[in-house]
Amino acid sequence: MVKVGIIANPISARDIRRVISHAGNLPINDRANIVLRMMAGLAAAGVQEVVVMPENGGIRFHLERSIRREARLGHANFPALRYLDMPVTATPEDSARAARMMAAEGVAAIVVLGGDGTNRVVVGACGKVPVAGVSTGTNNAFPELREPTITGLAVGLAATGQVPPDVALRPNKWLEVTLNDRREIALVDVAVVEDRFVGARAIWKTAGFRDLFVTFGLPQAIGMSAIAGLCDPVDRAAPEGRHIRLSPDAPRQLLAPIAPGLIDRLGIAGVARMAPGQAHVPSIPAGSLAFDGERELTFTESDQVSVRLVPDAFRTIDVPACMAHAAAAGLFIRNPD
């Protein structure tokens, strides 16, 4: 039986950036509708079971009600739906635990509904299981914006083997941060800020930014990676990253969209290429580290901190490649009986 995992974060896009910027807030019923559209695509591609992370935000109620309604109307067929047997803490640990459980029972792929932070948690816990992101967060640099039905079709084609792995799976970089003996990862960016506290976690005040490390930065991005994207772009597939040093007094000033509707000015003190495996260190002796937009750790003068770019660290489903292969191979062609 081919099965796919779905981890839908019910509280993504509800951090402080939504308050201080103009970010939207996706209602619970819309999140459930995204899962439903995803399941329709998975079923059409031949996936037989969907394993879902439980939550207390209301997605389950809306999803199960919609499936019952569609069954009565005879409009759509869906894979069998099963929820993991696990406690719900309403913390990021739920996503991590769900990813570990899904990997242990052999799901072919995991679809993540959330922003950069949710995807980071899942990727860090799912081992070698490929992931596919659906944007429902505040800043969505990592998960690409796309209709969930298409993501479901592509994931289903990859999961069932109709699209071969060398076409369906895309290698991705991540940033590996070591703080003494502790190791953390980031999928898009690591920011070093002067503040020596975690606080509300999400970062948006750019005056205290001193370093930015990115796996990729695109000109059309939003969030911290937009800084790289607008001063020295680097593609997802490029074998390198960027280390940008920031200072409010630097003569080179950059306007960048830090959050939806929030455009700020930053001083670019320098830009350096990050080669795979090469250690980079913060330019300040003490401060905080933010991973994919959220403060996680503080460090002092006595700590040892380094950041490295790791190539081919995990795999994602390449949705455009899957759909292009399906079209060329005629996988969606059905002859009349």
Side-chain angles (χ1 to χ4, degrees):
M1 176 181 290
V2 177
K3 53 188 172 182
V4 168
I6 296 180
I7 295 177
N9 183 354
I11 57 172
S12 58
R14 296 185 184 176
D15 57 60
I16 194 170
R17 289 169 294 190
R18 186 178 62 85
V19 178
I20 55 89
S21 68
H22 301 284
N25 184 11
L26 196 65
I28 288 295
N29 61 320
D30 285 347
R31 297 171 194 254
N33 186 265
I34 288 173
V35 176
L36 190 74
R37 285 141 63 191
M38 185 97 52
M39 290 178 62
L42 290 169
V47 173
Q48 296 142 322
E49 184 179 31
V50 166
V51 185
V52 183
M53 179 187 77
E55 40 72 42
N56 293 331
I59 295 177
R60 180 173 185 169
F61 169 78
H62 287 283
L63 178 60
E64 292 181 341
R65 184 179 64 177
S66 296
I67 290 175
R68 289 194 298 268
R69 182 188 66 238
E70 294 296 311
R72 288 196 304 269
L73 296 175
H75 287 171
N77 293 317
F78 301 101
L81 176 66
R82 174 169 59 87
Y83 281 86
L84 292 171
D85 182 12
M86 55 172 273
V88 176
T89 66
T91 69
E93 177 54 30
D94 290 348
S95 297
R97 181 181 288 113
R100 289 191 293 268
M101 293 177 67
M102 290 174 181
E105 65 171 85
V107 299
I110 298 175
V111 182
V112 184
L113 277 70
D116 297 334
T118 306
N119 279 273
R120 180 176 75 90
V121 169
V122 172
V123 167
C126 70
K128 295 184 178 181
V129 179
V131 300
V134 176
S135 302
T136 61
T138 304
N139 290 344
N140 299 286
F142 179 76
E144 297 171 325
L145 291 169
R146 185 176 290 109
E147 164 54 41
T149 310
I150 304 303
T151 300
L153 283 168
V155 171
L157 291 169
T160 56
Q162 296 177 75
V163 178
D166 62 325
V167 175
L169 303 183
R170 179 173 65 189
N172 295 262
K173 305 166 278 186
W174 71 28
L175 293 167
E176 183 177 270
V177 180
T178 56
L179 173 58
N180 301 325
D181 295 329
R182 181 167 178 172
R183 172 187 169 276
E184 296 287 346
I185 65 167
L187 306 188
V188 182
D189 53 67
V190 174
V192 179
V193 297
E194 288 184 329
D195 301 329
R196 301 193 191 187
F197 59 87
V198 173
R201 297 187 65 194
I203 57 173
W204 75 96
K205 294 180 179 179
T206 60
F209 285 16
R210 291 298 172 263
D211 292 279
L212 179 68
F213 306 90
V214 301
T215 57
F216 66 90
L218 306 177
Q220 70 269 25
I222 193 163
M224 300 303 107
S225 69
I227 299 170
L230 292 173
C231 73
D232 192 7
V234 57
D235 192 71
R236 286 177 184 258
E240 60 187 33
R242 295 287 185 269
H243 174 191
I244 301 175
R245 291 184 294 108
L246 303 160
S247 171
D249 301 324
R252 185 184 181 191
Q253 297 286 308
L254 175 74
L255 287 175
I258 302 303
L262 179 61
I263 300 174
D264 209 346
R265 185 184 300 273
L266 306 97
I268 307 298
V271 180
R273 174 180 177 268
M274 290 189 75
Q278 183 180 19
H280 290 245
V281 297
S283 59
I284 55 176
S288 298
L289 297 166
F291 300 85
D292 294 326
E294 296 184 345
R295 271 187 297 250
E296 297 279 354
L297 300 173
T298 61
F299 64 97
T300 66
E301 292 83 354
S302 61
D303 293 317
Q304 298 294 316
V305 182
S306 67
V307 184
R308 290 177 174 83
L309 182 73
V310 180
D312 199 4
F314 65 103
R315 301 296 175 99
T316 54
I317 305 293
D318 190 332
V319 175
C322 287
M323 299 305 290
H325 179 91
L331 298 182
F332 293 118
I333 302 296
R334 299 292 185 269
N335 295 320
D337 296 331

